[in-house]
Amino acid sequence: MIAETEDRKPDPAVALPAIDESAPREPHRQFALKHEDCFIVSDSYGDIRGTGDGLFRDDTRVLSRFRLFIGGRIPSLLGASLSQDNILFTANLTNLATTGPDGRETLPGVVHVERTRFIWQNRMFERVTFTNYSGREVLLPVRFDFDADFRDMFEVRGTTRSRRGHAHDALIGEASVTFRYEGLDNLARQSNISFSTRPDEIQSNHAVFFIVVGRRDARALFVEVGHDEEAPSSDRFRAAAARARFAMRSKRRQGATVFSSGRVFNDWLTRTRADIALLTTDLETGPYPYAGIPWFSTAFGRDGVISALQMLWLNPALARGVLAFLARHQSTETSTFDDSEPGKIMHETRKGEMAVLRELPFGRYYGGVDTTPLYVYLACSYADRTADELFVNRMWDSLCAAVGWIEDVGTRNGEGFVTYSRAADTGLFNQGWKDSADAIFHADGTIPRGPIALVEVQGYAFAAYQGMAALAARRGDPVKAARWSALAESIRNAVERHFWMPDQNFFALAIDGEGKQCAVRASNAGHLLYVGLASAERASSIAEQLFSGHLNSGWGVRTLADDEVPFNPMSYHNGSIWPHDTAICAAGLARYQERAGVVRLMSSMFEAAVRFNMRLPELFCGFTRAIGDAPVAYPVACLPQAWSAGSAFMMLQACLGIRIDGWNRAIEVDRPRLPIGIDNIVIRHLAVGEAKVDLTFERVGDHIVCYLDERHEGLVPLVVRS
């Protein structure tokens, strides 16, 4: 039986042992929970130590320290995990040898400590259960240390501020502590920590409990952290957990689901789908996948668009939500500080104090050169997937404004290239997806002068023009259709002419402001295959090199070939592996019929995911794979990250060769392949027009057969090319 602690306690004035914070720790692992605009990051013990971790609400850290000690010592870690639906974090701990205030010693490993935690409606709920497996009653001196520094997310990431707001003295209640902060933006922020049982000692930074646990008995203590004070209890914990799980179940059921014959493969897909659901926030405009935890738990334009593209074949509602949000926040004015121009699509939005005060431009920032063409491409792809003409009609003015911006930027150089050069020093130096300051360079490693034309951005612009030409033709506007089609061919020819490196049989990373090639081999060229810009001959050369040991580490495609001057497998963008990047390359390779190579890439990503506990991080190091080795983690990668999670489904679509033709209400399957070791895949409740069908892929000898469930035969055309 588990009961809340209510027993006679020793005198709290009796001194406890000094807290030992130097005890050996297990390798550092972080666990994240999220609900809407609130998330928490802690270590395997469930502790928040005040580095990059914490409880965050609206880009502000409202709990910067939260640590559990037993007898002044850090408990021993047995294990930690997340529930399959990403709702519950559980840390399993046990006590070290302790001496209580009554002088009695408790032997090590006789008390099991279970910390179970979740986030719901801007509150952290935690249950700490102490189970006594010893032969006698034990007295546990339990201490929680806590603090709230109300640091802006950018401060937590390392930005220094010249001044901050005012932190008030903590308000100490009988079983609670409230922290308060008055920001320079005149917004009062507060954070309350409440316990289900009155502590034996409570101060502004810690609470002490003397917990008596009988032989073979268990006691539970409940904690809540939120804006206001509440009275934590078992009933509140259970009720909130049920609501959180129900809400997550609804999110995970959106769109089609995938099941395979492989148990471990299914575990990966299940975790991946749960990660996408975890990061998806329900905004007024619809669902939006936030980029990643901890640094990017907000709406990013590029990340949201690519995540929506990855999931489009399974869940087009995600794309609709992304498009609606970005259309609402499309720029209508020019601002050097925000890097905005009319028609441009937002790169990032933030709600923290520094953004509100415009100490940084990221309150609503437009410094992403690729977001606008990707936005247009997503809208056109959504139309092809769903034939949702009503939504496209509502979006039309926004799409025309976005294409107008692409055209306008193209007129600033002689070739129609979409270029960037940051408008203000506070903005991003590089504005493609590789946006670190050293990500774009010449072959000798020198940084080029702007404005910069990135190779993949020209591909996105090509795809945007092509898609808009097709939509204009459907809308009965042959003049615009012809104009955009001509622009697509013009930029295709310009890319083939100016970016191709004949001596390396590869496309250059970029063209600088002086018209010179950044003549390096990078994964960016694979994105040209994704949109179908490259000729078949040149695509074949790109494919060969993407599969070579210089670019393919054995775990995935490196961002940079390992024989280029700035290559560093431990860098952020110059030699690491980004799962979403590998997935885009795989989708491009599939477009040029490189199916066998796509299957190998998916196998590599799956094997990496298994070693990362079924969750692909934002990126990992690009060291060459050796027999028996595991992929090497990048130390500050976001986990989970939306487009890393979505990469599994983009690669699976590339393997299966599946495309939904919304205009003709049909399914097209082109030369399907199954992942290595998988003999059967079923896609259930796949939306095709108004119908929802079950589609099966099955290995029969050396062939892959594809068929609809007999309930749907004849209702939805299925075209299979083998």
Side-chain angles (χ1 to χ4, degrees), residues 254 256 272-273 276 305-319 385 642 645-650 653:
Q254 291 176 1
T272 293
R273 196 60 178 267
I276 294 168
V305 168
I306 290 178
S307 298
L309 283 167
Q310 292 170 329
M311 298 301 297
L312 181 59
W313 67 294
L314 294 171
N315 183 19
L318 197 61
R385 168 67 177 84
S647 64
F649 295 106
M650 179 175 261
Q653 182 184 19

Side-chain angles (χ1 to χ4, degrees), residues 44 251 284 310 431 444 470 559 671:
S44 303
K251 283 186 178 182
E284 289 183 6
Q310 292 170 329
Q431 298 188 357
D444 62 0
T559 49
R671 299 172 181 85

Side-chain angles (χ1 to χ4, degrees), residues 82 97 145 173 180 225 250-251 290 324 413 462 481 505 517 530 534 575 603 651 677 695 708:
L82 288 171
D145 279 13
R180 299 169 299 151
V225 182
S250 298
K251 283 186 178 182
Y290 281 8
N413 57 77
F462 162 77
N505 286 323
Q517 289 182 344
Y530 173 61
S603 178
M651 285 188 289
L695 181 64
L708 290 169

